[in-house]
Amino acid sequence: MRQLADIPHPEVKITLFSWNGKYLIKLEKGPLEQTYKVSEMDVTSDEEVRSLLDDEFMQAVINRFQLMHQDLQATFERHDIY
């Protein structure tokens, strides 16, 4: 796996990788992580992959992180883990 870029964002750590014919967009916030795979056949360059990270997509990612956090907290509470 080859790291192509760290993409600045005020709320989320974004790293772009190239691996096995795919671009991997890795997004991290605290202990949570989301990874999206985009086939190199579907885009023409890593710049085009970066264009996918528009405001609407990033807001959805941030909302999903909030839901993931809630899900994790809920299961901790169900199992009396704090």
Side-chain angles (χ1 to χ4, degrees):
M1 186 172 341
R2 185 173 62 123
Q3 182 175 338
L4 301 177
D6 286 318
I7 301 169
H9 189 275
E11 295 185 58
V12 177
K13 181 178 186 223
I14 306 171
T15 311
L16 181 61
F17 296 96
S18 176
W19 181 69
N20 204 21
K22 294 178 181 64
Y23 290 103
L24 278 68
I25 306 166
K26 181 178 175 181
L27 304 114
E28 300 173 81
K29 186 170 175 104
L32 304 173
E33 178 179 303
Q34 298 176 47
T35 302
Y36 295 84
K37 296 177 184 176
V38 178
S39 173
E40 290 179 353
M41 303 292 285
D42 293 338
V43 292
T44 58
S45 67
D46 62 323
E47 288 301 318
E48 191 170 14
V49 174
R50 290 173 189 241
S51 73
L52 299 174
L53 305 174
D54 61 15
D55 290 339
E56 187 174 340
F57 178 80
M58 290 308 301
Q59 189 57 55
V61 164
I62 291 165
N63 292 342
R64 191 163 297 110
F65 274 129
Q66 291 170 345
L67 292 171
M68 292 169 69
H69 176 74
Q70 290 170 6
D71 292 343
L72 186 58
Q73 284 303 116
T75 195
F76 278 6
E77 290 171 12
R78 284 193 305 275
H79 297 278
D80 294 321
I81 301 172
Y82 301 97

